């Protein structure tokens, strides 16, 4: 069982011919904190870059219990039948206080995980949001180079991870269930605004009426948000992933959305904006790291922190002193 | 009606003697984007620094409809009767897409707004989260110097603003109402974890039973989170702000929490941590601004962005090129 060490070129060509094992290894390199692994990963990605970007990047979110796994399993099967190749990636940055991975269990998508045309990657156990976002973006590129043409990036509806996923996808689907009052709509305001479609799942087994009520409520709520130029108004639909009802319609809606946004150029602009923002974020992270690693900053930082902590100077004054020191060198 | 221009020293002394008009003017300086106003604001704050920090900083959040205004109005009246002086500040960063201020209406707290011992400041119309956070932190300091000993910072339960407010307060109260299913609990996971107390409001007018059920549900949910060393386990209570039921108990709970966390030193550590983090955030913001204002970066940035946008290099490569250019100069 000796493990052959591949060159970047070998990685790239194996990924291109659809070697899933090597794809997984490359994603592991992306997730590694070792400099050598990181460098290898970057070389692989750079050489694969001409083969990326040709997928539909589909974000799916919803709180635990809405039936996300069943939905993705079912939608994935439909897409495979239509000849697509599906990759499913998860973004599940642990919340700040409790560490714990909600997503990432392959067995959640029982049928899809057995398909040759599907690749399911469990969630990276990332410690900080920025790292997880970077890893996921690079995993998307690798999956695209491997020929997957629908990349599903799923996350869980608890806040910041939604924004991350929204910022790396072309279409954002919010899964909900019926039975929530007005207060839930308020709660979701920030997330609802990101959604291109809201699907009320579990509209089955006597729950159909409630789903219709929820649908109307969410439709009303969506009317409160101003339309985005170049982009169709978000829609609300009901579905039952369990009984495979409504999923074909959702897929049609997604296709119509993509066609409309490509025609209006919104699709292209959104991708470019995402790339631009991401580069800026990477720069900002690097600047911060460089700053705090400086010898002179590391020397004086504890003393200035002390003054800030004891309230003899404000945080702003402390920041200004350090910045001044940095500039004068 | 000529408006006298005050010196920093005059500002500081007027604030110290409780001149609310001058306090408001100083907060307006803090919120200004003019460099001269900013400098004046910083001089005022620096000179007032010895008189800050002696308040209880109380964060209150809850989605629209939970009765936040009535709750704060009622709690404020109770505290005034106990001899406290109350300042109410709002954090309402507009969501990324829809601009609009939910909070900030003085008339929402009808009784409190008429009290000499209460100061209510409408929400700053901040465009970006970092700016709003900075303004609110400095407004807290100014209110403390003006002798307000309970500073209530309210926000609305839609995501990032919660984290901001959590990071500048000693105690965080989450207002909820009954009638929400399991999915709401999931939705609130990120926010529930931040709460020191969850209060189920509107436990009145036939809604008492449902509130008790909600209380049990939230208590169960809270048990899922690991305890924080040095800090009492979060509690769930029911109340009716409208009928002034349960608010004295909540205040007692807050006092017990403060006493316990001061005894364990958690209180002090949390404040210090907040200050330290804030200084780092200010530094990071400044570094980014400096970087992108550099002549050589501004010159080459469009070209590198172009390459990133056309997919000939990755965002990471673009970032690395710019950083290298910056380092070599």
């Amino acid at each position: 069982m000796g493990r052959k060490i591949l060159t970047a070129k070998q990685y790239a060509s194996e990924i291109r011919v659809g070697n899933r094992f090597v794809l997984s290894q490359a994603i592991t390199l992306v997730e590694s904190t070792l400099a050598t692994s990181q460098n290898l990963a970057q070389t692989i990605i750079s050489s694969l870059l001409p083969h990326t970007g040709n997928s539909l990047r589909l974000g799916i979110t919803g709180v635990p219990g809405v039936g996300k796994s069943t939905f993705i399993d079912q939608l994935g099967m439909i897409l495979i039948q239509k000849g697509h190749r599906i990759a499913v990636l998860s973004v599940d940055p642990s919340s700040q206080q409790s560490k714990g991975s909600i997503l990432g269990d392959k067995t959640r998508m029982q049928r899809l995980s057995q398909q040759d045309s599907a690749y399911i990657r469990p969630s990276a156990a990332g410690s900080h949001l920025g790292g997880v976002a970077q890893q996921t973006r690079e995993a998307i590129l690798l999956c695209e180079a491997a020929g997957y043409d629908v990349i599903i990036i799923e996350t869980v509806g608890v806040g910041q991870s939604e924004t991350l996923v929204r910022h790396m996808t072309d279409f954002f689907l919010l899964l909900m269930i019926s039975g929530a009052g007005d207060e839930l709509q308020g709660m979701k305001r920030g997330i609802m605004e990101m959604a291109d479609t809201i699907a009320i799942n579990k509209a089955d087994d006597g729950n159909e009426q409630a789903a219709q009520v929820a649908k109307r409520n969410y439709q009303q709520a969506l009317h409160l948000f101003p339309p985005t130029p170049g982009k169709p108004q978000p829609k609300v639909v009901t579905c039952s992933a369990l009984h495979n009802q409504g999923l074909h319609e959702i897929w049609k809606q997604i296709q119509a959305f993509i066609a409309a946004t490509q025609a209006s150029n919104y699709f292209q602009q959104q991708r470019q904006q995402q790339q631009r923002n991401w580069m800026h974020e990477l720069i900002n992270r690097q600047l911060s790291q460089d700053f705090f690693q400086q010898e002179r900053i590391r020397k004086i930082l504890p003393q200035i922190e002390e003054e800030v902590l004891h309230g003899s100077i404000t945080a702003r004054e402390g920041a200004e002193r350090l910045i001044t020191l940095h500039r004068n060198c």
Side-chain angles (χ1 to χ4, degrees), chain A:
Chain A
M1 293 290 281
R3 200 164 163 188
K4 223 171 54 181
I5 294 165
L6 302 179
T7 64
K9 210 172 164 181
Q10 286 169 323
Y11 265 105
S13 63
E14 286 300 312
I15 288 170
R16 284 289 293 151
V17 298
N19 185 329
R20 296 148 63 105
F21 179 68
V22 172
L23 172 61
S24 290
Q25 279 190 315
I27 296 179
T28 302
L29 290 176
V30 158
E31 291 168 359
S32 168
T33 51
L34 289 175
T36 49
S37 299
Q38 270 299 321
N39 290 339
L40 182 54
Q42 293 317 306
T43 312
I44 297 165
I45 292 169
S46 288
S47 70
L48 288 172
L49 218 46
H51 308 290
T52 64
N54 292 318
S55 79
L56 164 61
R57 299 167 183 171
L58 172 58
I60 297 185
T61 189
V63 302
V66 296
K68 217 159 43 253
S69 307
T70 310
F71 185 92
I72 295 172
D73 196 38
Q74 185 63 60
L75 180 65
M77 291 305 292
I78 291 173
L79 297 182
I80 284 174
Q81 281 154 25
K82 289 180 187 289
H84 292 287
R85 300 188 67 216
I86 316 299
V88 181
L89 307 171
S90 300
V91 172
D92 174 29
S94 312
S95 64
Q96 282 185 295
Q97 289 179 32
S98 78
K99 305 262 161 77
S101 189
I102 298 166
L103 303 166
D105 186 1
K106 264 194 193 190
T107 61
R108 293 182 302 122
M109 298 160 205
Q110 293 204 350
R111 289 179 299 162
L112 200 58
S113 60
Q114 290 165 27
Q115 303 297 315
D116 283 340
S117 301
Y119 175 77
I120 301 177
R121 174 77 182 187
S123 172
S127 56
H128 72 103
L129 231 53
V132 172
Q134 173 67 16
Q135 290 157 17
T136 309
R137 280 166 194 272
E138 295 181 344
I140 291 173
L141 298 177
L142 291 169
C143 289
E144 288 175 341
Y148 296 97
D149 64 337
V150 178
I151 318 283
I152 294 175
I153 301 109
E154 63 161 339
T155 188
V156 62
V158 293
Q160 285 186 287
S161 61
E162 260 62 34
T163 311
L164 283 190
V165 173
R166 184 53 207 102
H167 289 166
M168 58 178 80
T169 51
D170 306 311
F171 184 94
F172 199 59
L173 178 70
L174 172 58
L175 274 189
M176 307 273 272
I177 46 174
S178 62
D182 285 331
E183 67 282 6
L184 181 61
Q185 292 177 22
M187 194 61 215
K188 293 225 176 196
R189 212 181 74 101
I191 292 175
M192 279 180 62
E193 283 186 58
M194 291 190 244
D196 295 310
T197 286
I198 296 178
I200 320 281
N201 193 22
K202 300 192 183 179
D204 49 32
D205 302 333
N207 205 27
E208 294 85 352
Q209 198 101 38
Q212 287 301 326
V213 173
K215 179 181 167 177
R216 276 195 300 277
N217 287 342
Y218 288 120
Q219 274 172 333
Q220 277 168 7
L222 284 182
H223 280 299
L224 300 174
F225 305 136
T228 308
K231 190 165 113 165
Q233 272 284 76
K235 294 200 171 42
V236 187
V237 296
T238 62
C239 68
S240 165
L242 190 65
H243 300 307
N244 191 16
Q245 286 164 355
L247 274 75
H248 282 89
E249 288 71 19
I250 291 173
W251 177 241
K252 272 187 204 153
Q253 226 174 72
I254 295 173
Q255 288 179 298
F257 178 94
I258 299 299
T261 53
Q262 282 181 335
S264 73
N265 212 34
Y266 179 90
F267 181 93
Q268 297 84 337
Q269 283 170 357
Q270 179 174 249
R271 281 217 173 168
Q272 295 199 343
Q273 191 63 46
Q274 290 174 350
Q275 283 291 94
R276 187 185 291 112
N277 290 347
W278 184 240
M279 183 176 81
H280 284 245
E281 202 177 319
L282 287 172
I283 289 170
N284 289 337
R285 263 201 269 154
Q286 189 63 53
L287 290 174
S288 177
Q289 204 178 308
D290 288 353
F291 179 88
F292 287 106
Q293 278 177 353
Q294 286 172 97
E295 184 62 26
R296 58 183 182 277
I297 297 296
R298 279 167 52 200
K299 253 188 185 160
I300 195 125
L301 184 63
Q303 183 196 316
I304 291 196
E305 282 194 340
E306 197 70 5
E307 289 184 58
V308 170
L309 299 187
H310 286 91
S312 50
I313 59 173
T314 62
R316 190 194 284 225
E317 275 180 83
E320 272 167 13
R321 277 199 212 168
L322 288 163
I323 290 277
T324 305
L325 184 68
H326 166 71
R327 282 190 187 138
N328 291 345
C329 274

